[in-house]
Amino acid sequence: MRDREYREMELRLPFESQAEEKRYTVEGYASTFEPYVLFEQDGVKYSERIEPTAFDDADMADVVFRIDHEGAVYARTSAGTVNLWVDEHGLGQRTDLSKTQRAREIFSEIEAGNYPKMSFAFRVADDGDEYDKETHTRIIKRIAKVFDVSPVSFPANPTTELSVSTRDYFNGVIETEKAERLEREKREIQKKKIKILLEM
């Protein structure tokens, strides 16, 4: 869907001693609060930062765990098998994949290294972001909803695979910045012309 955005995150298996009974758990951070570069264009790095308060009013009542953001659901918050929390580092998730045979098979795929990264899908609230022109950074202040956390076959390359919603946002920003730059250049040319005429 056009209003959904996707961001890559780390996926790991909690350490287990061999003496412990096998636990089918994966965990990681869906988001951190550190700025990250989304892509670079014409020598300008465009970044994003999620504010620590962005998740305060986010709807996370029924976040699902599935593969590549589509298909079967293997766990979900409403079933108590996906646990989400917010701390000083970001939005964390811990998922229990022990409840069904299919979920345990997905755990085995993750354990084998076939899904080394995760992505999470979310929607920014209306007027929930702003743009810092000085640092070329989009600041996400309010997230309306988190839809899913998903191990992904091929982690997104932000330079080529930004979601449509994100790309549309930054395309608008880039066009505005270009228009402002052209206008400044026009004014500078006009000033130089006036200066030359006055010196004649």
Side-chain angles (χ1 to χ4, degrees):
M1 295 181 65
R2 290 181 66 87
D3 63 349
R4 293 191 188 188
E5 302 187 41
Y6 305 90
R7 298 294 180 275
E8 181 183 311
M9 66 180 183
E10 294 295 326
L11 174 62
R12 63 177 182 267
L13 307 181
F15 173 78
E16 297 174 354
S17 71
Q18 291 187 352
E20 288 181 302
E21 182 181 351
K22 188 174 183 68
R23 293 177 303 197
Y24 294 86
T25 304
V26 295
E27 64 180 41
Y29 277 88
S31 163
T32 63
F33 300 133
E34 295 295 320
Y36 46 87
V37 176
L38 284 174
F39 66 98
E40 184 173 344
Q41 183 167 315
D42 300 326
V44 177
K45 292 181 179 179
Y46 291 90
S47 301
E48 187 172 77
R49 186 179 81 244
I50 297 179
E51 293 280 85
T53 55
F55 295 99
D56 285 357
D57 299 315
D59 178 1
M60 296 189 286
D62 198 15
V63 177
V64 300
F65 184 102
R66 52 187 182 174
I67 302 298
D68 290 323
H69 302 293
E70 59 187 21
V73 171
Y74 299 98
R76 65 194 315 153
T77 52
S78 60
T81 47
V82 175
N83 179 36
L84 301 173
W85 69 90
V86 178
D87 60 21
E88 68 281 356
H89 185 63
L91 173 68
Q93 68 83 27
R94 183 179 296 109
T95 300
D96 176 5
L97 294 172
S98 69
K99 301 303 182 183
T100 68
Q101 180 62 36
R102 288 194 308 168
R104 290 191 291 273
E105 288 170 1
I106 290 299
F107 177 87
S108 296
E109 295 286 346
I110 295 168
E111 190 176 37
N114 292 333
Y115 295 98
K117 297 282 188 178
M118 293 190 80
S119 177
F120 82 111
F122 66 98
R123 178 168 55 83
V124 176
D126 293 339
D127 300 319
D129 57 1
E130 61 184 36
Y131 183 70
D132 184 332
K133 291 183 180 180
E134 296 298 318
T135 61
H136 306 286
T137 301
R138 179 193 189 190
I139 302 166
I140 296 178
K141 304 175 82 171
R142 289 189 303 118
I143 289 176
K145 183 170 178 59
V146 177
F147 295 98
D148 68 51
V149 290
S150 295
V152 288
S153 307
F154 298 100
N157 178 348
T159 60
T160 58
E161 296 178 32
L162 286 177
S163 65
V164 172
S165 181
T166 308
R167 178 60 71 183
D168 284 349
Y169 177 90
F170 277 101
N171 281 344
V173 164
I174 291 167
E175 287 305 312
T176 299
E177 289 185 341
K178 281 182 179 177
E180 289 174 349
R181 187 175 67 250
L182 288 171
E183 186 60 32
R184 284 196 302 272
E185 289 171 357
K186 279 185 192 176
R187 286 199 299 267
E188 287 301 315
I189 291 170
Q190 193 63 31
K191 283 180 185 177
K192 287 178 182 176
K193 286 180 178 178
I194 291 171
K195 185 178 179 183
I196 290 169
L197 288 171
L198 291 173
E199 289 175 349
M200 289 180 67

